[in-house]
Amino acid sequence: MSALFNIIVPVFLIVGFGYLVAWRGIFRESAVDGLMVFAQNFAAPTLLFASMSRLDLGTEFRPALLLPFYVGAFASFFIGWAGARFVFHRPPMDCVAIGFTCLFSNSLLLGIPIMERAYGPGSLSGNWAIIAIHSPLLYTFGITFMEFTRAHGSGLSVGGVALRAMTGVLRTPLVIGILTGMTMNVLQQAGLVMPEGFWAAVDMIAGAALPAALFGLGGILYRYRPEGDTGAIAMCCACSLLIHPGIAYGLGRITGLDDAGLRSAVMTAAMAPGVNAYLFANLYGAAKRVAATTVLVGTAVSVLSIWMWLAILP
């Protein structure tokens, strides 16, 4: 019970506060949008830049950690895609958007604060290693899958689809933060020393990322009214909150992943779909209601599912 109140509730209180002030009209939609632009386009990329700059690239990027998480992620995608296609009989582009909703966990805005409160700041190395390739890999996969689905029968070449997908991914602020951070990491290994004032400024902006994003997330969630598509939404929530972390846990145990790595893989996998899942659906105009409502319902239900995974983990 202490985990629920000491680890999970403080994070979701910030989300709930953002939801409350948006609901009461104290924090208007334009203000929510402005805050999320700052958080997602500037503060969160700066946080990723700082974290990637300081990550031990030689020890944290290990298959034993990454494979359980990403096997679970892609399994969730194909379960969601197949369920949408063969059970709910959705159009092809809707199937991809629903699969992406099952695939893309909120690894940064929810995963990092929950993990830090549960196991301390020193436990985050595995999370940062997963996050380092999370957006680049999953966006590339999702955009490529969607572009091939859209291009089916249009005669567009494989190279054209791949170029369109890669261009879209490289323009994403979070990906830019990851890539520049890893570049800085390599330069520092080569002897580059940045002045303390530079890192002080970086850390000040990075420190604003999570509280601003969590507060803004509450305001964004207020817009997503639960509507219809109950079966598809329930499937997406089950994939995100149970199947993905369940596969990560099982594979981690089978392969002998250490306790620290297992916590990072499972807790990152156990997060509800983030706003990016809706942004992806909105980008293509496919399954927007399913994605939006899953973000809202999944975030609410994850209070209990995260508590369960914290109890299961060593």
PDB file of all heavy atoms in Angstrom, residues 115 189 211:
ATOM      1  N   MET A 115       9.768   5.491 -11.912  1.00  0.00           N
ATOM      2  CA  MET A 115      10.971   4.709 -11.633  1.00  0.00           C
ATOM      3  C   MET A 115      11.862   5.414 -10.610  1.00  0.00           C
ATOM      4  O   MET A 115      12.401   4.779  -9.693  1.00  0.00           O
ATOM      5  CB  MET A 115      11.728   4.488 -12.943  1.00  0.00           C
ATOM      6  CG  MET A 115      12.915   3.550 -12.832  1.00  0.00           C
ATOM      7  SD  MET A 115      12.404   1.832 -12.668  1.00  0.00           S
ATOM      8  CE  MET A 115      14.024   1.039 -12.598  1.00  0.00           C
ATOM      9  N   GLN A 189      33.909  11.897 -24.756  1.00  0.00           N
ATOM     10  CA  GLN A 189      34.851  10.779 -24.665  1.00  0.00           C
ATOM     11  C   GLN A 189      36.135  11.089 -25.419  1.00  0.00           C
ATOM     12  O   GLN A 189      37.214  10.597 -25.069  1.00  0.00           O
ATOM     13  CB  GLN A 189      34.210   9.510 -25.244  1.00  0.00           C
ATOM     14  CG  GLN A 189      32.998   9.006 -24.469  1.00  0.00           C
ATOM     15  CD  GLN A 189      33.332   8.573 -23.066  1.00  0.00           C
ATOM     16  OE1 GLN A 189      34.393   8.020 -22.798  1.00  0.00           O
ATOM     17  NE2 GLN A 189      32.427   8.840 -22.129  1.00  0.00           N
ATOM     18  N   PRO A 211       7.855  17.898 -14.388  1.00  0.00           N
ATOM     19  CA  PRO A 211       6.662  18.505 -13.764  1.00  0.00           C
ATOM     20  C   PRO A 211       5.798  19.271 -14.760  1.00  0.00           C
ATOM     21  O   PRO A 211       4.566  19.202 -14.701  1.00  0.00           O
ATOM     22  CB  PRO A 211       7.249  19.432 -12.689  1.00  0.00           C
ATOM     23  CG  PRO A 211       8.687  19.580 -13.008  1.00  0.00           C
ATOM     24  CD  PRO A 211       9.089  18.352 -13.740  1.00  0.00           C
TER      25      PRO A 211
END
